[in-house]
């Protein structure tokens, strides 16, 4: 190989490593969210693709006993549909791996238990088993198993609390008006600043730019008081207005500079034809700067959908108002080791922004330089 | 950013003025109520407290209380660290990604992978990375990637060379380069730049020495998010992961806008790709680099969700934005919370000025 192609190869490898480093954490989340019974949680997600030797959590043996040769016999399967191979087993946490498969173990009450390699167990006793049933500890080789069950569970059938479906709806209720309102107001204001007779135009523009310096944190207390005073309290209206206000300076600046680059003749011609400013804005100006508007809208949507602070402060914490990010935050605190469910919830929260991103990425990238100012 | 049009194109007359007002009023009204007025109120709250007959002026008492609070001091120190490290690393990696992607056949796909985290919420990113930082008790199979990698290093000479010797050597090399720049700056009579570079170079050298001497707990799984300073670095990594794409895209646009003839000329003169990058391309996009850095610093300054979700400011990982939220809504201390918010705004302002100036200089970037 020549020096040039070595360079090529090195560039490709460096880029591949870079991309892998960026994608790996997400891959981990995805694998975890798809693994059955939280397999990935016990092994580490990168081991979820191969058969692994695992110590399964203790299982209580339950079942309906039937009479056979004067004995009460109960049978069942240790593995669900996933399958597996029993290596060792035991009935006490102090000796969880004393027995080989297919050997008989004596239990209290003259009961005898055996576990087959395929996970089939058989308990026979001279009298019906009373109490919760014996516990079994199993060391097994478990093949990889993937499922969509985790998603079904977090969206529709949560064990505690509301499903994440409602939170997704709340996020949409927040994000859509919170995108439309500032864009509409910014379009009007930018149009006035560029094409209409406004006194102190330059000063107004500078003031709007200066307002970008106001961090959200500065406005929290006064705005909460204002909302209480106005009777809005905590709710969607307050969030729309807050997102609207905070998205406005950037939207005005970006739209103004896009409008200022339009060819003047078009606007002049429309004016001569007797078009009003509203018509000029909606029929001529906005269609001509559509890429900028689309990029800005996508950005504002991502920002409001992914926001946590505004939602925490201006929305109630009940299920009727909790958005995806807040719900996810809650789950992080209470997931209790159920990583597969937390991962599924996190994936659900990313679907909409990633779709918006994929659909509008061309506009987004073009508008990025402008919107990086956030 | 280009300014508004000259007045010739604008309709005149009284009716037109009223109409202009109608267009402007809703937006300006919302700005006044949701941005201007709250700043004034918060500024007043930060120097007053509730008395029997409304707010009473108390001077700088809230600020003094803040400064005396160790938690605030930790948050402020961490915020300054956030202001420096993630923006520098993000800008550098963004530049690297932009340069790489220009030389790849699959550049578009590469950019998409680097850019995608931008669509992920900070809370979502926190979940993703919590899985990476996960820790299990020693002896059990680790399920976090970081601890699994960490346990590969058993503490022998190879571990030391890879994890301590190599990075320290890199830092030291960087320190030498930066110190050379300081020397050059001093010769050229640019005093401030020389001093800045000298300080940065010495800091790098000190960090390199400390890193060689530090005694790492090899062989033990670590609760990364509970070790002071280490947890801050772990949180910073999440921010960097999320924002390199943004830096990459902006720098890529700037790199592409450099005339091809300039680069071709340098190449014909026998410059290597590295020399072209350092001596031709980088000086041309200097403004954009500064702008990206300032934008990243503004983002880093307002970091809140990541900290709240992963450590909630415990184990000395607090930052200013998180501290303000905790002050106001957990400690219910409005006065000091407002004072802390004013401190945050004071930090934002100069950065924003730098950024606006560079946006104007970079021209056409907006």
């Amino acid at each position: 190989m020549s020096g040039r192609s070595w360079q090529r190869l090195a560039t490709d490898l460096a880029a591949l490593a870079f991309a892998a480093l960026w994608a790996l954490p997400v891959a981990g989340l995805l694998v975890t969210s798809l693994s059955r019974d939280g397999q990935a949680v016990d092994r580490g997600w990168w081991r979820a693709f191969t058969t692994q030797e695992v110590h399964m959590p203790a299982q209580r043996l339950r079942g309906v006993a039937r009479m056979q040769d004067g004995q009460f016999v109960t049978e069942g399967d240790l593995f669900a549909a996933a399958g597996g191979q029993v290596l060792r087993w035991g009935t006490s946490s102090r000796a969880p791996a004393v027995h080989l498969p297919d050997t008989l173990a004596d239990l209290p009450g003259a009961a005898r238990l055996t576990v087959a390699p395929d996970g089939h167990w058989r308990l026979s006793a001279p009298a019906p088993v009373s109490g919760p049933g014996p516990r079994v500890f199993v060391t097994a080789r478990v093949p990889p198993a993937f499922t969509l069950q985790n998603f079904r569970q977090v969206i529709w059938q949560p064990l505690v609390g509301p499903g994440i479906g409602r939170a997704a709806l709340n996020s949409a209720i927040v994000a859509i008006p919170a995108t439309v309102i500032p864009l509409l107001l910014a379009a009007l204001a930018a149009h006035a600043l560029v094409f209409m007779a406004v006194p102190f135009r330059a000063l107004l523009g500078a003031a709007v730019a200066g307002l970008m310096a106001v961090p959200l944190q500065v406005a929290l207390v006064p705005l909460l008081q204002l909302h209480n005073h106005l009777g809005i309290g905590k709710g969607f209206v307050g969030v729309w207005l807050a997102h609207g206000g905070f998205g406005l300076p950037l939207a005005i600046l970006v739209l103004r500079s896009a409008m200022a680059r339009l060819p003047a003749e078009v606007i002049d011609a429309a004016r001569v034809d007797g078009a009003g400013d509203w018509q000029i804005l909606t029929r001529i100006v906005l269609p001509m700067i559509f890429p900028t508007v689309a990029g800005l809208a996508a950005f504002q949507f991502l920002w409001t959908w992914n926001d946590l602070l505004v939602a925490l402060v201006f929305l109630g914490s009940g299920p009727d108002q909790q958005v995806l990010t807040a719900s996810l935050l809650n789950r992080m605190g209470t997931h209790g080791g159920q990583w597969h469910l937390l991962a599924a919830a996190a994936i659900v929260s990313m679907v909409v922004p990633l779709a918006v991103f994929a659909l509008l990425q061309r506009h987004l990238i073009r508008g990025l330089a402008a919107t990086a100012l956030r | 950013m280009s300014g508004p049009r000259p007045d010739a194109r604008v309709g005149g007359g009284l009716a037109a003025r009223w109409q202009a007002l109608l267009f402007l009023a809703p937006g300006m009204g919302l700005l006044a109520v949701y941005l201007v007025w709250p700043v004034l109120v918060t500024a007043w709250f930060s120097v007053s407290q509730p008395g029997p007959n409304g707010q009473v002026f108390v001077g700088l008492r809230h600020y003094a209380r803040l400064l005396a609070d160790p938690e605030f001091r930790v948050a402020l120190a961490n915020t300054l660290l956030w202001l420096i490290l993630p923006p520098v690393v993000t800008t550098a990696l963004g530049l690297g990604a932009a340069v790489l992607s220009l030389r790849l056949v699959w550049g578009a796909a590469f950019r998409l992978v680097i850019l995608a985290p931008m669509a992920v919420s900070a809370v979502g990113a926190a979940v993703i990375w919590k899985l990476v930082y996960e820790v299990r008790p020693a002896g059990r199979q680790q399920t976090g990637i970081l601890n699994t990698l960490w346990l590969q290093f058993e503490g022998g000479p190879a571990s030391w060379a890879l994890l301590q010797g190599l990075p320290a050597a890199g830092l030291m090399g960087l320190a030498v380069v930066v110190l050379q720049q300081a020397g050059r700056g001093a010769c050229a009579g640019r005093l401030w730049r020389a001093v800045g570079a000298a300080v940065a170079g010495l800091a790098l050298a000190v960090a390199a020495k400390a890193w060689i001497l530090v005694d790492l707990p090899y062989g033990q799984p670590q609760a990364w998010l509970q070790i002071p300073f280490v947890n801050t670095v772990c949180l910073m990594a999440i921010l960097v992961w999320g924002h390199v794409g943004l830096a990459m895209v902006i720098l890529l646009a700037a790199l592409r806008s450099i005339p091809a003839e300039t680069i071709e000329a340098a190449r014909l003169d026998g410059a290597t790709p590295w020399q072209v990058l350092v001596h031709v391309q980088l000086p041309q996009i200097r403004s954009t680099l500064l702008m990206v850095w300032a934008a990243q610093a503004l983002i880093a300054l307002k970091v809140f969700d990541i900290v709240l979700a992963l450590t909630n400011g415990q184990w000395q990982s607090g930052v200013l934005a998180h501290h303000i939220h905790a002050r106001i809504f957990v400690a219910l201390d409005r006065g000091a919370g407002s004072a802390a918010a004013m401190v945050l705004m004071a930090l934002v302002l100069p950065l924003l000025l730098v950024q606006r100036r560079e946006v104007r200089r970079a021209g056409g970037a907006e």
Side-chain angles (χ1 to χ4, degrees):
Chain A
M1 264 200 260
S2 68
R4 235 207 150 89
S5 52
W6 275 116
Q7 239 174 40
R8 265 254 142 82
L9 188 69
T11 315
D12 274 336
L13 285 180
L16 209 60
F18 204 141
L21 195 63
W22 248 239
L24 209 63
V26 186
L29 193 76
L30 195 63
V31 172
T32 303
S33 73
L34 287 172
S35 74
R36 184 194 286 275
D37 306 325
Q39 270 190 1
V41 187
D42 300 325
R43 322 168 164 187
W45 60 267
W46 56 93
R47 301 188 193 100
F49 301 101
T50 50
T51 298
Q52 295 280 326
E53 190 176 320
V54 293
H55 306 286
M56 289 172 55
Q59 288 190 43
R60 286 222 180 264
L61 301 182
R62 287 198 190 90
V64 183
R66 62 189 160 76
M67 287 298 291
Q68 192 181 336
D69 306 333
Q71 295 270 321
F72 289 86
V73 175
T74 322
E75 286 179 296
D77 200 337
L78 287 174
F79 303 114
Q85 187 197 350
V86 175
L87 298 176
R88 320 246 348 156
W89 61 281
T91 53
S92 119
S93 58
R94 267 165 296 162
V98 283
H99 303 297
L100 286 169
D102 279 340
T103 51
L104 272 173
D106 291 315
L107 296 180
R112 312 186 85 190
L113 174 66
T114 179
V115 176
D118 65 355
H120 185 85
W121 55 268
R122 180 187 154 100
L123 178 70
S124 61
V129 178
S130 59
R135 279 196 303 173
V136 174
F137 299 81
V138 174
T139 305
R141 291 173 60 81
V142 179
F146 294 97
T147 174
L148 288 173
Q149 175 59 31
N150 304 328
F151 287 93
R152 240 170 269 142
Q153 195 175 334
V154 292
I155 299 174
W156 292 293
Q157 319 155 340
L159 294 178
V160 283
I164 205 162
R166 173 69 219 211
L169 181 66
N170 289 337
S171 280
I173 295 176
V174 166
I176 292 169
T179 304
V180 174
I181 293 172
L183 242 62
L184 185 67
L185 297 190
L188 285 172
H191 181 90
L193 286 174
V194 178
F195 300 116
M196 296 168 82
V198 175
F200 310 116
R201 265 204 302 206
L203 199 68
L204 270 177
V208 170
L211 285 179
M212 298 220 330
V214 179
L216 207 51
Q217 278 79 3
V218 171
L220 297 181
V221 176
L223 290 183
L224 259 185
Q225 287 186 342
L226 177 78
H227 287 174
N228 285 333
H229 195 73
L230 291 177
I232 302 174
K234 289 196 165 194
F236 292 120
V237 178
V239 175
W240 295 335
L241 289 172
H243 273 313
F246 277 89
L248 206 47
L250 185 76
I252 292 179
L253 290 183
V254 171
L255 290 181
R256 186 182 71 158
S257 72
M259 287 180 188
R261 281 197 298 267
L262 289 181
E265 301 76 36
V266 185
I267 315 292
D268 291 341
R271 239 187 249 290
V272 171
D273 288 346
D277 274 295
W278 175 252
Q279 278 174 316
I280 295 178
L281 174 64
T282 53
R283 302 251 174 90
I284 301 172
V285 173
L286 286 184
M288 284 177 86
I289 60 168
F290 176 75
T292 310
V293 175
L296 202 58
F299 237 95
Q300 178 74 8
F301 182 82
L302 286 182
W303 168 259
T304 49
W305 181 281
N306 287 337
D307 156 81
L308 176 68
L309 181 58
V310 174
L312 278 186
V313 173
F314 294 110
L315 280 180
S317 52
D320 56 326
Q321 292 188 358
Q322 194 174 56
V323 294
L324 271 173
T325 46
S327 160
L328 203 55
L329 184 72
N330 246 355
R331 275 158 215 270
M332 281 182 86
T334 58
H335 73 84
Q338 297 201 302
W339 258 110
H340 50 301
L341 297 182
L342 180 62
I347 298 271
V348 170
S349 82
M350 293 168 199
V351 168
V352 172
L354 279 173
V356 169
F357 175 79
L359 279 177
L360 290 175
Q361 53 135 327
R362 193 155 299 172
H363 293 309
L364 257 176
I365 289 174
R366 205 172 297 159
L368 260 180
T371 352
L373 312 178
R374 176 136 239 161
Chain B
M1 189 182 76
S2 41
R5 299 283 167 109
D7 275 71
R9 271 188 221 109
V10 169
L14 198 63
R17 288 203 164 207
W18 275 109
Q19 209 185 0
L21 197 66
L22 210 66
F23 270 54
L24 266 180
M28 295 300 154
L30 194 64
L31 284 180
V33 176
Y34 273 79
L35 289 170
V36 180
W37 177 77
V39 171
L40 300 178
V41 173
T42 298
W44 169 236
F45 279 168
S46 77
V47 292
S48 66
Q49 65 184 33
N53 307 311
Q55 293 283 119
V56 185
F57 181 71
V58 294
L60 296 178
R61 193 184 295 169
H62 294 312
Y63 291 89
R65 261 193 319 125
L66 269 186
L67 278 181
D69 177 5
E71 236 175 79
F72 173 80
R73 286 207 295 247
V74 167
L76 190 63
N78 280 340
T79 298
L80 294 180
L81 213 57
W82 278 87
L83 210 49
I84 298 166
L85 278 180
V88 168
V89 175
T90 305
T91 310
L93 286 179
L95 182 65
V99 171
L100 265 183
S101 85
L102 277 175
R103 294 178 189 181
L104 291 176
V105 183
W106 49 290
F110 172 76
R111 283 193 290 274
L112 210 58
V113 172
I114 306 295
L115 207 55
M118 215 185 65
V120 175
S121 69
V123 186
V127 175
I128 293 176
W129 283 82
K130 193 176 181 197
L131 191 58
V132 172
Y133 299 142
E134 186 83 335
V135 60
R136 296 279 174 102
R140 282 183 64 189
Q141 197 163 45
Q142 293 297 322
T143 55
I145 305 182
L146 194 58
N147 267 318
T148 305
L149 286 178
W150 171 244
L151 290 181
Q152 305 300 313
F153 297 97
E154 79 296 343
S159 306
W160 186 89
L162 260 168
L163 287 186
Q164 289 179 267
L166 209 62
L171 276 179
M172 210 44 123
L174 204 60
V176 170
V177 171
V178 172
L179 285 174
Q180 271 177 353
Q181 287 293 322
R184 233 174 263 164
C187 292
R190 298 174 123 161
L191 194 62
W192 280 116
R193 181 186 277 194
V195 171
V199 169
L202 286 178
L204 281 171
V206 169
K209 188 180 160 232
W211 188 247
I212 284 191
L213 295 178
V214 76
D215 202 8
L216 295 179
Y218 289 108
Q220 310 271 324
Q222 298 295 311
W224 306 104
L225 292 173
Q226 296 178 13
I227 310 168
F229 185 69
V230 173
N231 51 18
T232 293
V233 173
C234 286
L235 298 178
M236 286 172 173
I238 304 175
L239 191 75
V240 170
W241 176 76
H243 287 88
V244 163
L246 189 70
M248 173 189 72
V249 170
I250 301 171
L251 291 170
L252 190 72
L255 282 175
R256 277 189 172 148
S257 70
I258 299 174
E261 300 87 56
T262 322
I263 296 168
E264 206 45 49
R267 217 170 266 161
L268 285 179
D269 286 345
T272 62
W274 176 252
Q275 286 171 325
V276 171
L277 180 67
V278 173
H279 297 293
V280 182
Q281 289 174 297
L282 285 192
Q284 297 250 14
I285 61 167
R286 200 179 149 269
S287 266
T288 313
L289 276 172
L290 255 174
M291 185 188 89
V292 168
W293 172 80
Q296 296 298 334
L298 281 171
I299 291 168
L301 204 51
K302 297 177 189 170
V303 158
F304 162 76
D305 330 33
I306 297 176
V307 177
L308 180 74
L310 286 180
T311 64
N312 199 12
Q314 288 170 284
W315 307 293
Q316 299 182 32
S317 66
V319 292
L320 205 47
H322 175 267
H323 185 83
I324 296 168
H325 184 265
R327 274 268 170 191
I328 297 176
F329 296 103
V330 182
L332 300 177
D333 181 353
R334 202 180 60 183
S338 298
M342 295 313 283
V343 172
L344 179 63
M345 196 162 127
L347 286 173
V348 168
L349 211 55
L351 281 172
L352 195 74
L353 288 177
V354 170
Q355 194 204 24
R356 305 293 312 169
R357 192 188 68 198
E358 297 307 330
V359 167
R360 272 198 297 277
R361 251 189 220 167
E366 183 172 294

